[in-house]
Amino acid sequence: MDRDEAKNILQLCRPGNESDRNDPLIAEAIAMLDNDAELRAWFDEQQAFDADICEQMQRVEPPADLKASILAGMRAHQMEVEPTVAEFEGMQQQVDTVISQTNSAWWRNPWVGVAALFVFMLAIINAPSRNDTQVAQDDPALSGLPPILPFLSDQIDGMNIFSFDKKDDNAHQLQSYLASTGAPSPKNLCEQLAGTPTIGCVTFDYNGTKLSMICFKDGDIYHLITAEAADFPEACPKSPEVYEINDKAFKVWVEDDQLNILTIHGTKNDIPEFI
């Protein structure tokens, strides 16, 4: 096992969770820490970061009317869209998968049972009845937006520290990783982004095509999404365009054969000038 392999495995080790450390693969990676001071420093930093994120999430309290709101949303949705048998079976399968994980030592956590319930309710509320393009056309708030942007907004809102395919603070390492997996990887990073620390990267599947996203953190968090321009002709502007959706601003441009999308929480005025 080399250092990069060890890093990928150690990212799965939750801070303060001894059961993770008893996993044979994680235990092998942890054993390398005694002889690799640089790896030990990296691991300690990652554990501190994960612990901080977990602590902040534990402070979040659900609103008192959450259950009533979810039930009301389900009733309203049922009046508009009736899921097909195949879609409903898909929802059940999602719930069964989450519930089955509660029997695994890896994910043994009382919150997983709660998560299973939410997966089921959210699956019903978000049962697919129309494609993203149709939704963007029918929703006045999304009119004129490339259909990929609402999808990306939802994906970003649903992310957490465990969503990343790879975590690293170096953009070039993440570029190399994405390229090695066959995912789109940004060919050119401007000087400011190339020198900005990263959090990690993740890939998404959208209507049968793949996108990648690298997340940068320098006070604010920037998300840089990359895709093949040929796969998204409807989203490729002739010149850079800036959009707003929900609480995010998106800058969209084409460079060579790649579609680039930079997003940040805020308004159009929050998009950095160096892009």
Side-chain angles (χ1 to χ4, degrees), residues 14-65:
R14 294 170 293 179
N17 193 304
E18 291 301 321
S19 63
D20 289 355
R21 295 169 182 263
N22 293 331
D23 180 278
L25 197 57
I26 293 180
E28 181 182 352
I30 287 179
M32 295 178 59
L33 300 177
D34 294 333
N35 301 313
D36 191 328
E38 184 178 341
L39 183 63
R40 162 66 70 179
W42 173 88
F43 178 67
D44 290 343
E45 182 178 345
Q46 290 293 311
Q47 289 282 283
F49 180 75
D50 289 351
D52 182 55
I53 294 295
C54 290
E55 181 181 354
Q56 293 184 38
M57 292 183 67
Q58 288 174 354
R59 295 174 183 171
V60 177
E61 295 185 3
D65 62 345

Side-chain angles (χ1 to χ4, degrees), residues 154-206:
D154 290 343
Q155 294 298 315
I156 292 170
D157 285 341
M159 287 187 64
N160 58 53
I161 192 62
F162 301 110
S163 299
F164 294 108
D165 296 340
K166 180 177 178 60
K167 290 191 292 182
D168 200 290
D169 60 3
N170 186 289
H172 297 301
Q173 293 290 339
L174 297 179
Q175 286 176 280
S176 299
Y177 170 79
L178 289 169
S180 71
T181 64
S185 177
K187 296 178 181 178
N188 302 305
L189 290 177
C190 67
E191 182 179 350
Q192 287 85 345
L193 276 184
T196 299
T198 53
I199 303 173
C201 65
V202 63
T203 57
F204 305 118
D205 288 319
Y206 177 80

Side-chain angles (χ1 to χ4, degrees), residues 23-270:
D23 180 278
L25 197 57
I26 293 180
E28 181 182 352
I30 287 179
M32 295 178 59
L33 300 177
D34 294 333
N35 301 313
D36 191 328
E38 184 178 341
L39 183 63
R40 162 66 70 179
W42 173 88
F43 178 67
D44 290 343
E45 182 178 345
Q46 290 293 311
Q47 289 282 283
F49 180 75
D50 289 351
D52 182 55
I53 294 295
C54 290
E55 181 181 354
Q56 293 184 38
M57 292 183 67
Q58 288 174 354
R59 295 174 183 171
V60 177
E61 295 185 3
D65 62 345
L66 178 61
K67 179 178 179 180
S69 298
I70 291 176
L71 293 175
M74 291 173 64
R75 296 189 189 100
H77 184 76
Q78 287 175 340
M79 294 176 64
E80 298 177 2
V81 178
E82 187 67 27
T84 65
V85 173
E87 290 168 352
F88 190 77
E89 289 178 348
M91 298 174 201
Q92 289 181 312
Q93 186 175 5
Q94 292 179 54
V95 176
D96 290 342
T97 299
V98 175
I99 293 176
S100 68
Q101 290 175 337
T102 64
N103 297 322
S104 167
W106 185 263
W107 295 109
R108 188 171 295 144
N109 187 311
W111 281 101
V112 177
V114 178
L117 176 61
F118 277 102
V119 167
F120 181 69
M121 291 187 291
L122 291 175
I124 293 176
I125 293 173
N126 295 304
S129 59
R130 297 174 294 174
N131 60 37
D132 292 327
T133 301
Q134 186 64 44
V135 171
Q137 290 173 346
D138 293 350
D139 189 340
L142 305 181
S143 178
L145 287 175
I148 186 64
L149 299 189
F151 167 81
L152 291 172
S153 178
D154 290 343
Q155 294 298 315
I156 292 170
D157 285 341
M159 287 187 64
N160 58 53
I161 192 62
F162 301 110
S163 299
F164 294 108
D165 296 340
K166 180 177 178 60
K167 290 191 292 182
D168 200 290
D169 60 3
N170 186 289
H172 297 301
Q173 293 290 339
L174 297 179
Q175 286 176 280
S176 299
Y177 170 79
L178 289 169
S180 71
T181 64
S185 177
K187 296 178 181 178
N188 302 305
L189 290 177
C190 67
E191 182 179 350
Q192 287 85 345
L193 276 184
T196 299
T198 53
I199 303 173
C201 65
V202 63
T203 57
F204 305 118
D205 288 319
Y206 177 80
N207 293 344
T209 57
K210 185 169 287 189
L211 309 94
S212 69
M213 182 169 74
I214 296 178
C215 301
F216 300 80
K217 182 176 177 61
D218 184 18
D220 294 316
I221 295 180
Y222 307 119
H223 305 284
L224 178 64
I225 298 95
T226 306
E228 298 298 327
D231 292 334
F232 298 91
E234 75 287 350
C236 295
K238 294 182 180 179
S239 59
E241 295 282 353
V242 179
Y243 305 89
E244 286 186 20
I245 173 173
N246 298 331
D247 58 347
K248 305 176 195 66
F250 292 84
K251 186 164 187 176
V252 183
W253 75 99
V254 175
E255 186 172 358
D256 296 328
D257 57 352
Q258 289 189 324
L259 172 66
N260 299 288
I261 303 173
L262 180 74
T263 179
I264 185 174
H265 278 80
T267 67
K268 294 180 179 181
N269 295 330
D270 295 312

